Amino acid sequence: MVWSTAEARAITPATLVERLRGAQVVILGEIHDNPVHHARQAWLIGKLEPEGVAFEMVPEGSEKGIAVFLGDGGEAGEIGPAIGWERLGWPDWALYRPVFEAAGEARIAGGGVALAEIRRAIAEGAAGVEGSRAGEGGLDRPLPAAEQTALEAEMVAAHCDMLPASAAPGMVEAQRLRDLRFARAALRAREGGDASAQAVLVTGNGPARADRGVPVYLERLAPALEVVSLGQVEVAPGLTAASDYAGGTGDLPYDYVWFSAGVEDRDDPCDAFR
């Protein structure tokens, strides 16, 4: 089921495609290890045929190399092995290959931030990493207190309550940097096209949030662009169908939500922290 949050009603996938066609930037969220989410992303990209596709998973430093690889006749479905996907820490390339293949000849942009810059953001703040460009994305200003508190709590929860509270502010700074870089990647994916050129950003559900994720940074960087976000949400345990979840979708922070089943036999993510 696809849910339109503004209308508080379900729409068909075909209607979703028509709604997305008019946006200059379409943000497709995901849960990284859910193959259904990647299949849907590939289907949507194939229908939209955007001029460019930006990926959270692709390091920014690999962007020029990918352009050379494709220009020399390399296939989009082989980008992963070409950039050393197995060393990047993402789920198996087989999950993402269909998404890259659907991009076809579209320009590929990388939003992935180098580990050294992530560490600097944690230690010094995101503004220190961005330097003179920090003001463009609002990194030179602190977040509202309520938002900062909520994000720090989310960081602790995301680390299975094993992250010391004192480390949470630095993690928030790293995420602010990442969200801004994802926004910049989406804009680079549009480069070379006309005013109506469309880019798709493939990213996690967190950065896809319309209230404090990439859309916020795109609004600061390019306020004239129409940006639409799609979150992909797994149906909560105990509910038998996505339609059962409809009554609780009013506060989901996306323009559209596409529900799915969860991943069977998923490993406990907290094992890594233990």
Side-chain angles (χ1 to χ4, degrees):
M1 180 187 73
V2 181
W3 187 258
S4 169
T5 55
E7 301 166 282
R9 70 178 183 90
I11 60 174
T12 67
T15 299
L16 174 66
V17 171
E18 292 306 311
R19 300 279 182 86
L20 299 182
R21 287 193 194 280
Q24 282 81 54
V25 179
V26 174
I27 301 174
L28 301 181
E30 65 177 46
I31 295 176
H32 300 309
D33 66 345
N34 193 316
V36 172
H37 294 187
H38 300 304
R40 290 171 175 173
Q41 289 170 333
W43 180 76
L44 287 167
I45 290 170
K47 291 292 186 182
L48 295 172
E49 298 183 317
E51 281 75 11
V53 182
F55 289 88
E56 168 187 353
M57 306 82 199
V58 172
E60 183 177 347
S62 297
E63 192 173 303
K64 291 183 179 179
I66 289 172
V68 172
F69 174 76
L70 295 176
D72 288 344
E75 298 182 0
E78 297 304 319
I79 287 174
I83 65 173
W85 185 271
E86 70 280 359
R87 299 190 300 271
L88 297 177
W90 296 101
D92 192 87
W93 168 245
L95 289 175
Y96 284 88
R97 181 195 298 269
V99 187
F100 282 80
E101 290 176 332
E105 298 181 359
R107 176 179 181 142
I108 302 298
V113 184
L115 181 58
E117 291 187 305
I118 293 290
R119 288 172 172 163
R120 277 190 61 199
I122 292 172
E124 305 172 19
V129 180
E130 277 291 286
S132 62
R133 304 180 74 192
E136 297 175 12
L139 296 186
D140 58 337
R141 302 186 297 275
L143 293 172
E147 183 176 342
Q148 180 73 29
T149 299
L151 283 170
E152 289 181 16
E154 286 181 13
M155 286 295 175
V156 173
H159 290 79
C160 303
D161 294 320
M162 298 181 193
L163 180 75
S166 60
M171 299 295 285
V172 171
E173 286 297 300
Q175 189 58 52
R176 294 181 73 191
L177 176 67
R178 294 176 73 238
D179 286 347
L180 175 58
R181 294 291 182 84
F182 300 164
R184 293 194 193 280
L187 295 179
R188 289 197 305 276
R190 295 185 69 244
E191 288 179 0
D194 59 23
S196 64
Q198 184 180 73
V200 168
L201 170 64
V202 174
T203 187
N205 281 331
R209 290 178 62 126
D211 58 343
R212 60 181 182 233
V214 176
V216 172
Y217 294 93
L218 285 169
E219 171 66 23
R220 294 168 182 166
L221 296 173
L225 295 184
E226 181 177 351
V227 179
V228 178
S229 68
L230 170 74
Q232 297 199 73
V233 176
E234 294 178 344
V235 176
L239 301 182
T240 58
S243 58
D244 295 333
Y245 208 79
T249 59
D251 59 349
L252 287 173
Y254 311 98
D255 298 303
Y256 299 96
V257 181
W258 201 340
F259 291 97
S260 76
V263 174
E264 293 184 7
D265 302 322
R266 176 182 278 146
D267 293 337
D268 184 351
C270 294
D271 285 346
F273 300 108
R274 297 190 186 101

